[in-house]
Amino acid sequence: MMEITLPTSKKYELIDITEKVARFVKDIKDGICLVYTPHATAGIIINENWDESVQDDFINLLNKLIPEGKWKHDKIDGNGAAHLKASIVGPSEMIPVKDGKLQLGRWQNIFFCEFDGPRKERKIIVKVVKCM
Ligand code: ZN
């Protein structure tokens, strides 16, 4: 299994993992790449990396939609908002692969989204399926 592990350093953080994922598809002529994170308080998105304001805006939007400290689950372990953000964002993305390259648009990058950091280790599973 192809796996990426990384630490996170902030409560909310978007980490660009595009180059780490791209390494796994170098030998794939035609296929599909699944990028999945097995965590209940994290997610995967595809969006712009050129300007950091997009990442900040995304985190600010989620914080406005889902404020901290008003959820039933907060009584359990204090991270109700993080679970809701992860559910809305989703744990995975699928990207077509052609001639060894992820078919991302010019302004698209793959991000791991931390909603309950910092964490010593977060895991991302990458699965590549070859097409005939
Ligand atoms: Zn929890």
Side-chain angles (χ1 to χ4, degrees):
M1 187 155 59
M2 297 180 284
E3 215 172 87
I4 297 165
T5 55
L6 44 83
T8 60
S9 59
K10 297 175 196 156
K11 173 129 179 124
Y12 305 110
E13 191 174 7
L14 266 57
I15 299 171
D16 189 341
I17 55 169
T18 312
E19 282 183 20
K20 289 185 163 98
V21 175
R23 277 185 225 143
F24 295 126
V25 304
K26 277 188 302 193
D27 301 324
I28 306 297
K29 192 169 169 32
D30 185 16
I32 295 168
C33 178
L34 170 73
V35 182
Y36 172 81
T37 189
H39 299 291
T41 55
I44 302 289
I45 62 163
I46 293 173
N47 215 310
E48 179 174 314
N49 185 31
W50 185 76
D51 185 46
E52 264 182 36
S53 65
V54 176
Q55 298 156 51
D56 292 342
D57 285 346
F58 184 67
I59 288 170
N60 287 337
L61 168 69
L62 288 174
N63 285 338
K64 274 185 190 162
L65 287 174
I66 308 166
E68 300 269 336
K70 55 183 290 181
W71 311 103
K72 276 186 182 177
H73 184 74
D74 291 337
K75 292 185 185 94
I76 310 298
D77 63 358
N79 64 356
H83 287 290
L84 296 173
K85 286 167 188 163
S87 301
I88 285 178
V89 166
S92 66
E93 291 283 358
M94 271 208 296
I95 304 120
V97 178
K98 193 181 167 203
D99 299 327
K101 292 203 164 94
L102 294 164
Q103 296 299 289
L104 293 164
R106 185 175 174 191
W107 304 111
Q108 287 183 312
N109 286 66
I110 309 163
F111 292 91
F112 174 83
C113 307
E114 176 63 81
F115 298 124
D116 196 25
R119 300 287 183 114
K120 272 190 196 140
E121 187 178 284
R122 290 297 211 175
K123 194 191 293 184
I124 298 140
I125 296 166
V126 180
K127 278 272 185 190
V128 182
V129 179
K130 287 181 194 170
C131 299
M132 292 293 152

mmCIF file of all heavy atoms in Angstrom, residues 1-47:
data_model
loop_
_atom_site.group_PDB
_atom_site.id
_atom_site.type_symbol
_atom_site.label_atom_id
_atom_site.label_comp_id
_atom_site.label_asym_id
_atom_site.label_seq_id
_atom_site.Cartn_x
_atom_site.Cartn_y
_atom_site.Cartn_z
ATOM 1 N N MET A 1 0.846 -1.196 0.000
ATOM 2 C CA MET A 1 0.000 0.000 0.000
ATOM 3 C C MET A 1 0.882 1.246 0.000
ATOM 4 O O MET A 1 1.876 1.313 0.705
ATOM 5 C CB MET A 1 -0.905 -0.009 1.232
ATOM 6 C CG MET A 1 -1.915 1.104 1.210
ATOM 7 S SD MET A 1 -3.395 0.723 2.178
ATOM 8 C CE MET A 1 -2.728 0.441 3.804
ATOM 9 N N MET A 2 0.491 2.215 -0.786
ATOM 10 C CA MET A 2 1.259 3.451 -0.854
ATOM 11 C C MET A 2 0.703 4.424 0.169
ATOM 12 O O MET A 2 -0.492 4.677 0.206
ATOM 13 C CB MET A 2 1.177 4.024 -2.259
ATOM 14 C CG MET A 2 1.790 3.098 -3.288
ATOM 15 S SD MET A 2 1.719 3.720 -4.966
ATOM 16 C CE MET A 2 0.023 3.453 -5.387
ATOM 17 N N GLU A 3 1.593 4.934 0.996
ATOM 18 C CA GLU A 3 1.159 5.753 2.109
ATOM 19 C C GLU A 3 2.049 6.980 2.266
ATOM 20 O O GLU A 3 3.253 6.912 2.058
ATOM 21 C CB GLU A 3 1.247 4.891 3.370
ATOM 22 C CG GLU A 3 0.175 5.157 4.372
ATOM 23 C CD GLU A 3 0.239 4.126 5.500
ATOM 24 O OE1 GLU A 3 0.980 4.352 6.462
ATOM 25 O OE2 GLU A 3 -0.451 3.088 5.388
ATOM 26 N N ILE A 4 1.422 8.083 2.636
ATOM 27 C CA ILE A 4 2.169 9.298 2.959
ATOM 28 C C ILE A 4 1.862 9.585 4.428
ATOM 29 O O ILE A 4 0.701 9.526 4.829
ATOM 30 C CB ILE A 4 1.678 10.480 2.089
ATOM 31 C CG1 ILE A 4 1.936 10.214 0.608
ATOM 32 C CG2 ILE A 4 2.325 11.790 2.536
ATOM 33 C CD1 ILE A 4 1.174 11.145 -0.328
ATOM 34 N N THR A 5 2.885 9.877 5.219
ATOM 35 C CA THR A 5 2.629 10.320 6.591
ATOM 36 C C THR A 5 3.245 11.695 6.754
ATOM 37 O O THR A 5 4.276 12.009 6.163
ATOM 38 C CB THR A 5 3.219 9.361 7.652
ATOM 39 O OG1 THR A 5 4.598 9.206 7.397
ATOM 40 C CG2 THR A 5 2.532 8.012 7.615
ATOM 41 N N LEU A 6 2.558 12.525 7.529
ATOM 42 C CA LEU A 6 3.097 13.857 7.785
ATOM 43 C C LEU A 6 2.618 14.379 9.134
ATOM 44 O O LEU A 6 1.550 13.990 9.610
ATOM 45 C CB LEU A 6 2.738 14.822 6.653
ATOM 46 C CG LEU A 6 1.322 14.841 6.080
ATOM 47 C CD1 LEU A 6 0.404 15.700 6.920
ATOM 48 C CD2 LEU A 6 1.363 15.390 4.676
ATOM 49 N N PRO A 7 3.427 15.257 9.749
ATOM 50 C CA PRO A 7 2.978 15.912 10.979
ATOM 51 C C PRO A 7 2.227 17.190 10.614
ATOM 52 O O PRO A 7 2.432 17.727 9.533
ATOM 53 C CB PRO A 7 4.300 16.253 11.676
ATOM 54 C CG PRO A 7 5.260 16.484 10.543
ATOM 55 C CD PRO A 7 4.804 15.621 9.393
ATOM 56 N N THR A 8 1.347 17.656 11.496
ATOM 57 C CA THR A 8 0.731 18.968 11.286
ATOM 58 C C THR A 8 1.134 19.869 12.450
ATOM 59 O O THR A 8 1.425 19.388 13.542
ATOM 60 C CB THR A 8 -0.803 18.864 11.170
ATOM 61 O OG1 THR A 8 -1.346 18.304 12.365
ATOM 62 C CG2 THR A 8 -1.201 17.981 9.987
ATOM 63 N N SER A 9 1.150 21.173 12.188
ATOM 64 C CA SER A 9 1.705 22.084 13.201
ATOM 65 C C SER A 9 0.697 23.110 13.719
ATOM 66 O O SER A 9 0.997 23.870 14.625
ATOM 67 C CB SER A 9 2.925 22.812 12.632
ATOM 68 O OG SER A 9 2.562 23.536 11.481
ATOM 69 N N LYS A 10 -0.498 23.144 13.116
ATOM 70 C CA LYS A 10 -1.510 24.120 13.541
ATOM 71 C C LYS A 10 -2.849 23.430 13.754
ATOM 72 O O LYS A 10 -3.061 22.316 13.267
ATOM 73 C CB LYS A 10 -1.702 25.178 12.449
ATOM 74 C CG LYS A 10 -0.467 25.999 12.163
ATOM 75 C CD LYS A 10 -0.742 26.924 10.993
ATOM 76 C CE LYS A 10 0.549 27.480 10.431
ATOM 77 N NZ LYS A 10 0.420 27.885 9.037
ATOM 78 N N LYS A 11 -3.757 24.124 14.436
ATOM 79 C CA LYS A 11 -5.118 23.590 14.606
ATOM 80 C C LYS A 11 -5.776 23.382 13.237
ATOM 81 O O LYS A 11 -6.334 22.327 12.962
ATOM 82 C CB LYS A 11 -5.948 24.546 15.449
ATOM 83 C CG LYS A 11 -7.416 24.158 15.530
ATOM 84 C CD LYS A 11 -7.916 24.115 16.946
ATOM 85 C CE LYS A 11 -9.380 23.742 16.969
ATOM 86 N NZ LYS A 11 -9.631 22.580 17.783
ATOM 87 N N TYR A 12 -5.715 24.425 12.388
ATOM 88 C CA TYR A 12 -6.237 24.327 11.022
ATOM 89 C C TYR A 12 -5.085 24.541 10.068
ATOM 90 O O TYR A 12 -4.331 25.503 10.209
ATOM 91 C CB TYR A 12 -7.281 25.416 10.748
ATOM 92 C CG TYR A 12 -8.398 25.435 11.730
ATOM 93 C CD1 TYR A 12 -8.525 26.473 12.631
ATOM 94 C CD2 TYR A 12 -9.319 24.402 11.764
ATOM 95 C CE1 TYR A 12 -9.565 26.490 13.552
ATOM 96 C CE2 TYR A 12 -10.351 24.409 12.684
ATOM 97 C CZ TYR A 12 -10.471 25.464 13.570
ATOM 98 O OH TYR A 12 -11.483 25.466 14.479
ATOM 99 N N GLU A 13 -4.998 23.661 9.084
ATOM 100 C CA GLU A 13 -3.865 23.772 8.182
ATOM 101 C C GLU A 13 -4.163 23.033 6.884
ATOM 102 O O GLU A 13 -4.722 21.935 6.911
ATOM 103 C CB GLU A 13 -2.646 23.135 8.873
ATOM 104 C CG GLU A 13 -1.337 23.382 8.210
ATOM 105 C CD GLU A 13 -0.167 22.835 9.055
ATOM 106 O OE1 GLU A 13 -0.416 22.159 10.080
ATOM 107 O OE2 GLU A 13 0.971 23.063 8.672
ATOM 108 N N LEU A 14 -3.803 23.643 5.752
ATOM 109 C CA LEU A 14 -3.874 22.959 4.470
ATOM 110 C C LEU A 14 -2.446 22.692 4.013
ATOM 111 O O LEU A 14 -1.647 23.627 3.926
ATOM 112 C CB LEU A 14 -4.607 23.824 3.430
ATOM 113 C CG LEU A 14 -6.112 23.571 3.281
ATOM 114 C CD1 LEU A 14 -6.848 23.733 4.582
ATOM 115 C CD2 LEU A 14 -6.694 24.470 2.215
ATOM 116 N N ILE A 15 -2.131 21.438 3.759
ATOM 117 C CA ILE A 15 -0.770 21.064 3.367
ATOM 118 C C ILE A 15 -0.789 20.506 1.951
ATOM 119 O O ILE A 15 -1.511 19.551 1.660
ATOM 120 C CB ILE A 15 -0.194 20.011 4.345
ATOM 121 C CG1 ILE A 15 -0.141 20.612 5.759
ATOM 122 C CG2 ILE A 15 1.188 19.549 3.896
ATOM 123 C CD1 ILE A 15 0.204 19.622 6.849
ATOM 124 N N ASP A 16 0.003 21.111 1.083
ATOM 125 C CA ASP A 16 0.068 20.689 -0.321
ATOM 126 C C ASP A 16 0.816 19.358 -0.418
ATOM 127 O O ASP A 16 1.992 19.268 -0.064
ATOM 128 C CB ASP A 16 0.796 21.774 -1.133
ATOM 129 C CG ASP A 16 0.710 21.522 -2.629
ATOM 130 O OD1 ASP A 16 0.434 20.379 -3.046
ATOM 131 O OD2 ASP A 16 0.930 22.481 -3.386
ATOM 132 N N ILE A 17 0.124 18.323 -0.886
ATOM 133 C CA ILE A 17 0.745 16.989 -0.992
ATOM 134 C C ILE A 17 0.874 16.548 -2.454
ATOM 135 O O ILE A 17 1.152 15.384 -2.734
ATOM 136 C CB ILE A 17 -0.065 15.930 -0.195
ATOM 137 C CG1 ILE A 17 -1.534 15.900 -0.648
ATOM 138 C CG2 ILE A 17 0.024 16.200 1.306
ATOM 139 C CD1 ILE A 17 -2.322 14.714 -0.097
ATOM 140 N N THR A 18 0.693 17.475 -3.385
ATOM 141 C CA THR A 18 0.674 17.132 -4.820
ATOM 142 C C THR A 18 1.930 16.383 -5.259
ATOM 143 O O THR A 18 1.843 15.337 -5.915
ATOM 144 C CB THR A 18 0.517 18.406 -5.675
ATOM 145 O OG1 THR A 18 -0.553 19.189 -5.144
ATOM 146 C CG2 THR A 18 0.236 18.051 -7.121
ATOM 147 N N GLU A 19 3.105 16.908 -4.896
ATOM 148 C CA GLU A 19 4.352 16.275 -5.367
ATOM 149 C C GLU A 19 4.548 14.895 -4.764
ATOM 150 O O GLU A 19 5.059 13.988 -5.435
ATOM 151 C CB GLU A 19 5.535 17.182 -5.069
ATOM 152 C CG GLU A 19 5.603 18.310 -6.086
ATOM 153 C CD GLU A 19 6.804 19.215 -5.892
ATOM 154 O OE1 GLU A 19 7.776 18.792 -5.249
ATOM 155 O OE2 GLU A 19 6.729 20.340 -6.390
ATOM 156 N N LYS A 20 4.134 14.736 -3.504
ATOM 157 C CA LYS A 20 4.248 13.418 -2.858
ATOM 158 C C LYS A 20 3.335 12.403 -3.558
ATOM 159 O O LYS A 20 3.719 11.251 -3.757
ATOM 160 C CB LYS A 20 3.875 13.514 -1.375
ATOM 161 C CG LYS A 20 4.917 14.250 -0.556
ATOM 162 C CD LYS A 20 4.545 14.208 0.926
ATOM 163 C CE LYS A 20 5.729 14.553 1.790
ATOM 164 N NZ LYS A 20 5.768 15.924 2.249
ATOM 165 N N VAL A 21 2.144 12.823 -3.953
ATOM 166 C CA VAL A 21 1.211 11.922 -4.646
ATOM 167 C C VAL A 21 1.728 11.631 -6.059
ATOM 168 O O VAL A 21 1.682 10.492 -6.529
ATOM 169 C CB VAL A 21 -0.207 12.534 -4.702
ATOM 170 C CG1 VAL A 21 -1.138 11.652 -5.540
ATOM 171 C CG2 VAL A 21 -0.779 12.730 -3.293
ATOM 172 N N ALA A 22 2.252 12.655 -6.726
ATOM 173 C CA ALA A 22 2.702 12.516 -8.125
ATOM 174 C C ALA A 22 3.756 11.430 -8.276
ATOM 175 O O ALA A 22 3.823 10.751 -9.306
ATOM 176 C CB ALA A 22 3.229 13.858 -8.635
ATOM 177 N N ARG A 23 4.598 11.231 -7.243
ATOM 178 C CA ARG A 23 5.641 10.194 -7.290
ATOM 179 C C ARG A 23 5.062 8.798 -7.521
ATOM 180 O O ARG A 23 5.702 7.949 -8.126
ATOM 181 C CB ARG A 23 6.411 10.176 -5.966
ATOM 182 C CG ARG A 23 7.500 11.212 -5.919
ATOM 183 C CD ARG A 23 8.290 11.054 -4.624
ATOM 184 N NE ARG A 23 8.482 12.372 -4.064
ATOM 185 C CZ ARG A 23 8.464 12.657 -2.772
ATOM 186 N NH1 ARG A 23 8.258 11.721 -1.881
ATOM 187 N NH2 ARG A 23 8.665 13.886 -2.360
ATOM 188 N N PHE A 24 3.845 8.569 -7.029
ATOM 189 C CA PHE A 24 3.252 7.234 -7.127
ATOM 190 C C PHE A 24 2.677 6.924 -8.511
ATOM 191 O O PHE A 24 2.289 5.794 -8.765
ATOM 192 C CB PHE A 24 2.142 7.058 -6.089
ATOM 193 C CG PHE A 24 2.617 7.096 -4.665
ATOM 194 C CD1 PHE A 24 2.066 7.969 -3.756
ATOM 195 C CD2 PHE A 24 3.619 6.239 -4.228
ATOM 196 C CE1 PHE A 24 2.486 8.004 -2.436
ATOM 197 C CE2 PHE A 24 4.057 6.266 -2.909
ATOM 198 C CZ PHE A 24 3.493 7.150 -2.020
ATOM 199 N N VAL A 25 2.572 7.905 -9.379
ATOM 200 C CA VAL A 25 1.916 7.661 -10.675
ATOM 201 C C VAL A 25 2.880 7.761 -11.865
ATOM 202 O O VAL A 25 2.463 7.671 -13.014
ATOM 203 C CB VAL A 25 0.700 8.607 -10.891
ATOM 204 C CG1 VAL A 25 -0.293 8.478 -9.740
ATOM 205 C CG2 VAL A 25 1.112 10.053 -11.087
ATOM 206 N N LYS A 26 4.172 7.928 -11.568
ATOM 207 C CA LYS A 26 5.161 8.146 -12.626
ATOM 208 C C LYS A 26 5.144 7.074 -13.717
ATOM 209 O O LYS A 26 5.416 7.358 -14.874
ATOM 210 C CB LYS A 26 6.573 8.217 -12.022
ATOM 211 C CG LYS A 26 6.910 9.593 -11.487
ATOM 212 C CD LYS A 26 8.368 9.682 -11.075
ATOM 213 C CE LYS A 26 8.704 8.654 -10.027
ATOM 214 N NZ LYS A 26 9.973 8.828 -9.365
ATOM 215 N N ASP A 27 4.865 5.811 -13.328
ATOM 216 C CA ASP A 27 4.914 4.705 -14.289
ATOM 217 C C ASP A 27 3.539 4.303 -14.818
ATOM 218 O O ASP A 27 3.408 3.242 -15.441
ATOM 219 C CB ASP A 27 5.580 3.486 -13.636
ATOM 220 C CG ASP A 27 6.988 3.810 -13.160
ATOM 221 O OD1 ASP A 27 7.673 4.602 -13.850
ATOM 222 O OD2 ASP A 27 7.394 3.302 -12.102
ATOM 223 N N ILE A 28 2.536 5.114 -14.554
ATOM 224 C CA ILE A 28 1.173 4.765 -14.979
ATOM 225 C C ILE A 28 0.841 5.490 -16.284
ATOM 226 O O ILE A 28 0.834 6.717 -16.338
ATOM 227 C CB ILE A 28 0.140 5.155 -13.886
ATOM 228 C CG1 ILE A 28 0.503 4.540 -12.526
ATOM 229 C CG2 ILE A 28 -1.274 4.756 -14.318
ATOM 230 C CD1 ILE A 28 0.513 3.034 -12.466
ATOM 231 N N LYS A 29 0.561 4.685 -17.338
ATOM 232 C CA LYS A 29 0.246 5.296 -18.634
ATOM 233 C C LYS A 29 -1.174 5.860 -18.651
ATOM 234 O O LYS A 29 -1.424 6.951 -19.134
ATOM 235 C CB LYS A 29 0.413 4.239 -19.736
ATOM 236 C CG LYS A 29 0.405 4.831 -21.119
ATOM 237 C CD LYS A 29 0.831 3.785 -22.142
ATOM 238 C CE LYS A 29 0.589 4.221 -23.580
ATOM 239 N NZ LYS A 29 0.708 5.632 -23.852
ATOM 240 N N ASP A 30 -2.085 5.058 -18.095
ATOM 241 C CA ASP A 30 -3.497 5.444 -18.104
ATOM 242 C C ASP A 30 -4.134 4.881 -16.835
ATOM 243 O O ASP A 30 -4.096 3.676 -16.611
ATOM 244 C CB ASP A 30 -4.164 4.852 -19.358
ATOM 245 C CG ASP A 30 -5.600 5.312 -19.515
ATOM 246 O OD1 ASP A 30 -6.001 6.305 -18.868
ATOM 247 O OD2 ASP A 30 -6.338 4.664 -20.282
ATOM 248 N N GLY A 31 -4.689 5.741 -15.999
ATOM 249 C CA GLY A 31 -5.245 5.211 -14.764
ATOM 250 C C GLY A 31 -5.996 6.237 -13.938
ATOM 251 O O GLY A 31 -6.294 7.339 -14.395
ATOM 252 N N ILE A 32 -6.299 5.826 -12.707
ATOM 253 C CA ILE A 32 -7.015 6.685 -11.761
ATOM 254 C C ILE A 32 -6.280 6.621 -10.429
ATOM 255 O O ILE A 32 -5.909 5.536 -9.964
ATOM 256 C CB ILE A 32 -8.478 6.201 -11.571
ATOM 257 C CG1 ILE A 32 -9.250 6.346 -12.873
ATOM 258 C CG2 ILE A 32 -9.163 7.006 -10.465
ATOM 259 C CD1 ILE A 32 -10.589 5.630 -12.840
ATOM 260 N N CYS A 33 -6.086 7.781 -9.814
ATOM 261 C CA CYS A 33 -5.386 7.863 -8.540
ATOM 262 C C CYS A 33 -6.360 8.317 -7.453
ATOM 263 O O CYS A 33 -6.959 9.384 -7.554
ATOM 264 C CB CYS A 33 -4.234 8.855 -8.667
ATOM 265 S SG CYS A 33 -3.318 9.079 -7.138
ATOM 266 N N LEU A 34 -6.503 7.474 -6.441
ATOM 267 C CA LEU A 34 -7.338 7.806 -5.280
ATOM 268 C C LEU A 34 -6.440 8.291 -4.151
ATOM 269 O O LEU A 34 -5.446 7.645 -3.827
ATOM 270 C CB LEU A 34 -8.119 6.567 -4.822
ATOM 271 C CG LEU A 34 -8.853 6.696 -3.480
ATOM 272 C CD1 LEU A 34 -10.084 7.586 -3.618
ATOM 273 C CD2 LEU A 34 -9.242 5.329 -2.949
ATOM 274 N N VAL A 35 -6.789 9.426 -3.575
ATOM 275 C CA VAL A 35 -6.053 9.980 -2.433
ATOM 276 C C VAL A 35 -7.042 10.034 -1.273
ATOM 277 O O VAL A 35 -8.067 10.721 -1.367
ATOM 278 C CB VAL A 35 -5.514 11.390 -2.747
ATOM 279 C CG1 VAL A 35 -4.702 11.928 -1.569
ATOM 280 C CG2 VAL A 35 -4.681 11.378 -4.012
ATOM 281 N N TYR A 36 -6.744 9.286 -0.200
ATOM 282 C CA TYR A 36 -7.710 9.092 0.881
ATOM 283 C C TYR A 36 -7.045 9.256 2.245
ATOM 284 O O TYR A 36 -5.939 8.756 2.457
ATOM 285 C CB TYR A 36 -8.297 7.677 0.752
ATOM 286 C CG TYR A 36 -9.164 7.247 1.897
ATOM 287 C CD1 TYR A 36 -10.493 7.648 1.973
ATOM 288 C CD2 TYR A 36 -8.639 6.456 2.914
ATOM 289 C CE1 TYR A 36 -11.285 7.253 3.043
ATOM 290 C CE2 TYR A 36 -9.433 6.061 3.985
ATOM 291 C CZ TYR A 36 -10.752 6.465 4.040
ATOM 292 O OH TYR A 36 -11.525 6.090 5.099
ATOM 293 N N THR A 37 -7.713 9.947 3.156
ATOM 294 C CA THR A 37 -7.168 10.049 4.510
ATOM 295 C C THR A 37 -8.099 9.357 5.516
ATOM 296 O O THR A 37 -9.301 9.631 5.546
ATOM 297 C CB THR A 37 -6.890 11.517 4.905
ATOM 298 O OG1 THR A 37 -6.176 11.529 6.138
ATOM 299 C CG2 THR A 37 -8.151 12.354 5.035
ATOM 300 N N PRO A 38 -7.550 8.417 6.307
ATOM 301 C CA PRO A 38 -8.387 7.646 7.236
ATOM 302 C C PRO A 38 -8.501 8.324 8.605
ATOM 303 O O PRO A 38 -8.201 7.715 9.630
ATOM 304 C CB PRO A 38 -7.634 6.313 7.330
ATOM 305 C CG PRO A 38 -6.203 6.701 7.184
ATOM 306 C CD PRO A 38 -6.175 7.905 6.268
ATOM 307 N N HIS A 39 -8.914 9.581 8.613
ATOM 308 C CA HIS A 39 -9.071 10.327 9.874
ATOM 309 C C HIS A 39 -10.434 11.005 9.905
ATOM 310 O O HIS A 39 -10.913 11.484 8.877
ATOM 311 C CB HIS A 39 -7.984 11.386 10.010
ATOM 312 C CG HIS A 39 -6.601 10.834 10.036
ATOM 313 N ND1 HIS A 39 -6.109 10.094 11.093
ATOM 314 C CD2 HIS A 39 -5.599 10.889 9.119
ATOM 315 C CE1 HIS A 39 -4.860 9.736 10.835
ATOM 316 N NE2 HIS A 39 -4.526 10.198 9.637
ATOM 317 N N ALA A 40 -11.039 11.081 11.100
ATOM 318 C CA ALA A 40 -12.382 11.655 11.256
ATOM 319 C C ALA A 40 -12.366 13.167 11.443
ATOM 320 O O ALA A 40 -13.423 13.799 11.509
ATOM 321 C CB ALA A 40 -13.082 10.998 12.443
ATOM 322 N N THR A 41 -11.163 13.759 11.548
ATOM 323 C CA THR A 41 -11.078 15.212 11.723
ATOM 324 C C THR A 41 -10.103 15.831 10.715
ATOM 325 O O THR A 41 -9.437 16.818 10.995
ATOM 326 C CB THR A 41 -10.649 15.574 13.164
ATOM 327 O OG1 THR A 41 -9.412 14.911 13.461
ATOM 328 C CG2 THR A 41 -11.708 15.183 14.182
ATOM 329 N N ALA A 42 -10.021 15.213 9.537
ATOM 330 C CA ALA A 42 -9.156 15.727 8.468
ATOM 331 C C ALA A 42 -9.847 15.453 7.137
ATOM 332 O O ALA A 42 -10.830 14.710 7.081
ATOM 333 C CB ALA A 42 -7.787 15.056 8.519
ATOM 334 N N GLY A 43 -9.354 16.047 6.075
ATOM 335 C CA GLY A 43 -9.962 15.836 4.760
ATOM 336 C C GLY A 43 -8.960 16.037 3.637
ATOM 337 O O GLY A 43 -7.786 16.361 3.885
ATOM 338 N N ILE A 44 -9.432 15.815 2.408
ATOM 339 C CA ILE A 44 -8.611 16.017 1.209
ATOM 340 C C ILE A 44 -9.404 16.923 0.256
ATOM 341 O O ILE A 44 -10.591 16.671 0.015
ATOM 342 C CB ILE A 44 -8.305 14.678 0.493
ATOM 343 C CG1 ILE A 44 -7.575 13.677 1.403
ATOM 344 C CG2 ILE A 44 -7.521 14.922 -0.803
ATOM 345 C CD1 ILE A 44 -6.135 13.997 1.728
ATOM 346 N N ILE A 45 -8.747 17.938 -0.276
ATOM 347 C CA ILE A 45 -9.384 18.785 -1.303
ATOM 348 C C ILE A 45 -8.415 19.026 -2.453
ATOM 349 O O ILE A 45 -7.205 18.823 -2.319
ATOM 350 C CB ILE A 45 -9.839 20.172 -0.767
ATOM 351 C CG1 ILE A 45 -8.647 20.998 -0.265
ATOM 352 C CG2 ILE A 45 -10.907 20.030 0.302
ATOM 353 C CD1 ILE A 45 -8.930 22.482 -0.117
ATOM 354 N N ILE A 46 -8.978 19.498 -3.564
ATOM 355 C CA ILE A 46 -8.168 19.986 -4.684
ATOM 356 C C ILE A 46 -8.507 21.459 -4.861
ATOM 357 O O ILE A 46 -9.691 21.813 -4.973
ATOM 358 C CB ILE A 46 -8.470 19.193 -5.970
ATOM 359 C CG1 ILE A 46 -8.002 17.743 -5.812
ATOM 360 C CG2 ILE A 46 -7.793 19.835 -7.175
ATOM 361 C CD1 ILE A 46 -8.395 16.834 -6.962
ATOM 362 N N ASN A 47 -7.499 22.302 -4.826
ATOM 363 C CA ASN A 47 -7.733 23.733 -5.063
ATOM 364 C C ASN A 47 -6.439 24.451 -5.393
ATOM 365 O O ASN A 47 -5.406 23.821 -5.540
ATOM 366 C CB ASN A 47 -8.441 24.377 -3.873
ATOM 367 C CG ASN A 47 -9.411 25.466 -4.336
ATOM 368 O OD1 ASN A 47 -9.041 26.332 -5.121
ATOM 369 N ND2 ASN A 47 -10.634 25.404 -3.865
#
